[in-house]
Amino acid sequence: ILNLLAILLSTSAIIQAENPVPLTAAVLDFQTSGESLRDKGAEVAALLSADLTTSASVFLVERAELAKILSEQELGLSGNVTPQSAAAVGQLTGAKVLVSGRVFRAGDNNLIVAKVMSAETGRVYAETVSFAEPAQIQTATAELGKKVRSILETKSGTLLAKPETYE
């Protein structure tokens, strides 16, 4: 019986390793600066959210539900996220990771900077893409989506708190 139990437990571990539980994430509106990029923060967030929903390893908190929770709790967090506010939003929404950022002009380039922040550990990763014209924001956001998805898929070990074990 012990051998059978050992086989079942090892099989369960293999199945879980092959089919990891999706990482729950929430995408907040990105902050913007500059007149030509004024309305682009919400657009980037919506496009990035749509892109992340294609990943089997990510479960996204619905943006409408997220906005409702944030407004009810009076947490207007469009891109301005601290480890403390990330933890609060994570508790309220069930999100383990928050994605926020900023869209702005620097010199001759427009930039999108995304922050991927753990609601559990406070760990932050960042990615950047640039684009020449505001009309290219969809292509730039698709490129950013690949980078953010890669962080979520490869860095989950540092984005999630390790469960405490008691002996």
Side-chain angles (χ1 to χ4, degrees):
I1 290 179
L2 289 177
N3 286 340
L4 180 60
L5 183 59
I7 291 170
L8 287 173
L9 288 175
S10 65
T11 303
S12 174
I14 291 169
I15 290 170
Q16 283 182 339
E18 290 174 358
N19 302 310
V21 175
L23 187 63
T24 305
V27 179
L28 304 173
D29 283 352
F30 281 43
Q31 291 180 321
T32 58
S33 59
E35 187 59 33
S36 66
L37 300 171
R38 181 173 28 120
D39 299 323
K40 299 301 183 183
E43 185 178 337
V44 167
L47 290 168
L48 187 57
S49 293
D51 184 82
L52 292 177
T53 62
T54 64
S55 173
S57 61
V58 178
F59 176 80
L60 216 55
V61 174
E62 171 60 39
R63 286 183 50 74
E65 188 64 25
L66 179 65
K68 179 182 168 190
I69 291 169
L70 292 177
S71 68
E72 285 175 359
Q73 298 299 316
E74 298 178 1
L75 294 170
L77 294 176
S78 61
N80 192 18
V81 182
T82 65
Q84 294 79 16
S85 61
V89 172
Q91 270 192 317
L92 292 169
T93 64
K96 305 290 185 191
V97 175
L98 300 181
V99 180
S100 67
R102 190 164 174 240
V103 184
F104 60 99
R105 184 151 186 88
D108 292 336
N109 285 317
N110 295 299
L111 299 168
I112 306 173
V113 177
K115 291 191 314 184
V116 179
M117 180 178 288
S118 169
E120 294 183 345
T121 67
R123 180 69 165 102
V124 178
Y125 292 96
E127 285 291 351
T128 304
V129 295
S130 64
F131 56 101
E133 299 296 324
Q136 298 170 326
I137 202 158
Q138 188 170 358
T139 304
T141 304
E143 181 184 342
L144 183 65
K146 290 177 188 171
K147 292 179 175 185
V148 169
R149 198 173 332 114
S150 176
I151 290 172
L152 295 174
E153 292 171 353
T154 62
K155 305 292 187 183
S156 63
T158 59
L159 291 168
L160 298 176
K162 305 275 187 272
E164 292 184 29
T165 56
Y166 300 97
E167 295 180 34

